């Protein structure tokens, strides 16, 4: 530590969603706030989120939209700073936005609008943001303050807030620093794994399905625990799209997932009734009415598709129905942290106060945002958790 230690009330590591929200709130209370980040820009993940339009929250937010070993933990923060509070802030800045399916709220123009709003609020609250700053080490002092040594100098702070996010997308500056700090101070961690991530396929399936690359179909994708009715997307590497990303967060290696490509249709009833009405029509003609043309021969093979419906027995129809209504596929793996939107697991919620995000054991040490073992579904829930948990810590640090 150098002689010229900078004194501050709240030192926040991570200048993105949760860290900036916490900084704004603490700054508004008159606290001296410094935010450090090793990236050359604040809020890189905000900028790349939602395909560049940032799905900043959801109209309906509930604890059931989150994965955690302690499913009750997120309730307090989500009820104290709600999606309505964040929408009010977005409206105050006149950021044009719109609602998409399942209550997802997106910017009309650019995710930059959200980042600019947060940075403007930081400025109003006299928050100091220091970029390109590497953290060397952190120590707890006998007076309960923290000393943080960095490439931009040394800091002493009453509170230390870890908002350094998860492990997903290392290219976007994700590092395990926050987990290491948690370990340094004896906090328990749950194992981490990538979430909201595309699947890669077994070699046979990959070869068979590669030609479908680019096709998107609304499907019910499920396992024994949960199901999601959204689009799936065939890619040249495997399977992606919202429903696949959602189920990936609930997937265990080696398990199959079931894809119902026609969730609103009982294929047995439908094909039987079509066979009665139009016995001469070919199977491929009727299925092409409701599914993309390229999909049908690949999924059903050549066995039936050229047949007129009158040639199909009850057993044949059930075989076709099972392929369309409950297609089972065993992914090879996920694409991993390289493309995952989030990291599941992290700082054990039982180590933290659900009201303030402060460590129960280490006074003055806080964990907010994705580093905590609270992971949202796709749909704006991860940002809402970042805003809510950051806001809560910002009231007390
Ligand atoms: C491609 C993509 C799209 C997404 N789209 C959405 C979406 O539309 N809606 C949604 O709700 N969620 C979305 N998410 C998830 C969302 O971005 C995260 O959950 C959210 O950003 C978490 O906020 P955070 O503040 O906890 O962490 P982050 O936003 O990850 O911020 C962590 C910060 O800590 C800094 N940091 C990391 N390590 C160090 C270190 N060693 N030293 C100093 N600083 C460090 C990083 O540079 C970064 O600025 C998306 C994620 C990705 C990857």
């Amino acid at each position: 530590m150098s002689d010229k230690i900078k004194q501050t009330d709240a030192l926040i590591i991570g200048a993105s969603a949760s860290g900036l929200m916490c900084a704004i709130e603490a700054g508004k209370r008159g606290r001296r706030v410094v935010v450090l980040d090793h990236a050359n820009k604040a809020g890189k993940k905000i900028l790349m989120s939602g395909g560049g339009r940032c799905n900043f929250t959801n109209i309906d937010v509930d604890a059931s939209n989150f994965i955690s070993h302690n499913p009750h933990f997120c309730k307090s923060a989500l009820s104290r700073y709600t999606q309505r509070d964040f929408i009010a802030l977005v409206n105050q800045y006149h950021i044009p936005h719109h609602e998409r399916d399942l209550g997802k709220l997106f910017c009309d123009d650019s995710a930059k609008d959200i980042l600019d709003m947060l940075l403007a609020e930081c400025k109003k609250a006299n928050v100091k943001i220091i970029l390109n700053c590497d953290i060397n080490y952190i120590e707890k002092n006998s007076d309960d303050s923290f000393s943080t040594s960095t490439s931009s100098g040394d800091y002493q702070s009453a509170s230390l807030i870890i908002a350094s996010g998860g492990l997903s997308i290392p290219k976007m500056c994700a590092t395990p620093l926050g987990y290491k700090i948690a370990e340094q101070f004896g906090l328990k961690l749950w194992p981490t794994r990538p979430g909201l991530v595309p699947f890669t396929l077994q070699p046979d399936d990959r070869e068979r399905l590669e030609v479908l690359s680019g096709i998107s179909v609304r499907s019910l994708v499920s396992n024994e625990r949960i199901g999601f009715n959204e689009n799936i997307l065939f890619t040249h590497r495997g399977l992606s799209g919202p429903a696949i990303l959602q189920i990936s967060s609930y997937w265990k290696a080696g398990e199959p997932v079931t894809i119902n490509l026609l969730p609103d249709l009982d294929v047995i009833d439908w094909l039987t009734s079509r066979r009665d009405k139009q016995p001469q029509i070919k199977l491929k003609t009727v299925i092409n009415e409701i599914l993309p043309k390229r999909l049908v021969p690949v999924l059903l093979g050549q066995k039936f598709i050229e047949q007129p419906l009158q040639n199909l027995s009850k057993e044949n129809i059930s075989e076709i129905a099972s392929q369309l209504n409950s297609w089972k596929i065993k992914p090879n793996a996920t694409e991993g942290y390289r493309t995952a939107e989030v990291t599941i697991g992290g700082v054990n919620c039982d180590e933290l106060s659900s009201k303030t995000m402060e460590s129960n054991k280490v006074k003055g040490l806080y964990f907010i945002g994705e580093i905590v073992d609270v992971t949202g579904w796709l749909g704006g829930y991860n940002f809402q958790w970042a805003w809510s948990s950051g806001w809560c810590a910002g009231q007390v640090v």
Side-chain angles (χ1 to χ4, degrees):
M1 282 278 160
S2 78
D3 293 342
K4 286 191 196 152
I5 298 172
K6 297 166 205 164
Q7 301 289 332
T8 184
D9 296 319
L11 189 74
I12 302 175
I13 299 181
S16 187
S18 60
L20 294 178
M21 179 55 93
C22 177
I24 292 163
E25 289 302 312
K28 284 205 278 198
R29 291 172 38 242
R31 309 294 281 164
R32 291 169 301 167
V33 184
V34 175
V35 189
L36 307 177
D37 204 299
H38 70 149
N40 59 359
K41 215 185 217 172
K44 283 194 172 187
K45 276 207 186 146
I46 300 177
L47 291 175
M48 76 185 299
S49 68
R53 291 218 159 82
C54 187
N55 176 195
F56 54 82
T57 191
N58 195 289
I59 292 280
D60 294 306
V61 177
D62 184 82
S64 61
N65 304 121
F66 294 84
I67 300 165
S68 172
H69 288 85
N70 179 346
H72 302 293
F73 179 82
C74 61
K75 290 180 182 170
S76 168
L78 293 172
S79 68
R80 291 180 70 213
Y81 187 81
T82 69
Q83 68 276 28
R84 291 173 295 282
D85 294 316
F86 194 77
I87 295 165
L89 182 62
V90 166
N91 286 335
Q92 197 186 312
Y93 275 76
H94 306 292
I95 296 177
H97 59 278
H98 60 277
E99 185 181 335
R100 293 194 194 163
D101 64 318
L102 305 172
K104 299 166 190 158
L105 293 183
F106 282 81
C107 295
D108 288 356
D109 299 329
S110 165
K112 190 167 173 295
D113 290 347
I114 298 292
L115 181 59
D116 288 348
M117 171 186 83
L118 296 169
L119 294 176
E121 286 287 294
C122 280
K123 201 166 174 197
K124 274 207 290 195
N126 290 318
V127 170
K128 200 165 175 193
I129 299 174
I130 298 172
L131 300 171
N132 298 305
C133 174
D134 292 322
I135 313 298
N136 300 329
Y137 61 88
I138 293 166
E139 283 169 352
K140 179 108 170 123
N141 303 315
S142 53
D143 65 354
D144 266 347
S145 67
F146 293 87
S147 294
T148 303
S149 159
T150 82
S151 59
S152 313
D154 298 331
Y155 293 86
Q156 188 172 7
S157 61
S159 302
L160 178 67
I161 302 98
I162 312 303
S164 55
L167 297 169
S168 32
I169 325 239
K171 268 193 185 158
M172 280 293 132
C173 301
T175 74
L177 176 76
Y179 303 108
K180 288 189 180 151
I181 296 171
E183 276 172 345
Q184 176 188 341
F185 288 102
L187 275 77
K188 290 197 194 90
L189 296 173
W190 287 108
T192 51
R193 65 176 202 278
L196 299 179
V197 59
F199 285 137
T200 59
L201 298 176
Q202 311 278 353
D204 286 359
D205 285 328
R206 184 177 164 165
E207 205 172 299
R208 188 167 67 94
L209 301 175
E210 213 167 17
V211 291
L212 302 179
S213 181
I215 290 181
S216 170
V217 193
R218 192 171 67 78
S219 307
L220 175 64
V221 181
S222 58
N223 60 19
E224 280 165 10
R225 300 175 287 285
I226 198 155
F228 294 94
N229 194 341
E230 294 187 60
N231 280 356
I232 64 165
L233 174 70
F234 294 86
T235 71
H236 59 280
R237 282 193 295 267
L239 288 172
S240 187
I244 295 293
L245 299 184
Q246 300 275 35
I247 202 79
S248 75
S249 296
Y250 289 87
W251 183 69
K252 292 187 187 138
E255 272 184 357
V257 294
T258 303
I259 302 180
N260 181 348
L261 292 156
L262 293 164
D264 303 324
L265 194 70
D266 181 320
V267 173
I268 294 187
D269 287 353
W270 174 70
L271 271 183
T272 310
S273 124
R274 288 296 292 261
R275 185 183 60 181
D276 294 345
K277 286 185 201 135
Q278 296 166 286
Q280 321 258 311
I281 197 168
K282 280 186 181 173
L283 176 68
K284 92 170 171 200
T285 313
V286 288
I287 297 197
N288 282 348
E289 290 169 15
I290 49 171
L291 281 174
K293 271 196 184 127
R294 272 199 286 151
L295 190 66
V296 179
V298 176
L299 279 189
L300 295 181
Q302 295 301 321
K303 189 170 161 195
F304 300 122
I305 57 167
E306 295 296 339
Q307 298 284 336
L309 295 183
Q310 64 189 1
N311 286 6
L312 299 179
S313 65
K314 201 171 153 197
E315 289 71 33
N316 297 152
I317 290 184
S318 321
E319 195 180 328
I320 295 161
S322 109
Q323 190 63 13
L324 299 178
N325 275 150
S326 55
W327 171 34
K328 281 206 170 16
I329 184 151
K330 207 185 255 189
N332 183 41
T334 71
E335 286 187 5
Y337 290 118
R338 188 179 62 79
T339 59
E341 285 199 13
V342 286
T343 301
I344 298 174
V347 175
N348 188 328
C349 296
D350 299 342
E351 299 274 357
L352 307 176
S353 152
S354 61
K355 195 168 173 215
T356 63
M357 306 291 135
E358 187 177 16
S359 156
N360 296 325
K361 310 202 234 289
V362 186
K363 192 173 174 298
L365 180 64
Y366 296 76
F367 290 84
I368 55 177
E370 199 177 312
I371 189 144
V372 180
D373 174 36
V374 173
T375 308
W377 288 4
L378 188 86
Y381 302 103
N382 285 296
F383 277 133
Q384 187 57 45
W385 171 246
W387 316 135
S388 296
S389 56
W391 185 92
C392 285
Q395 307 310 305
V396 291
V397 294

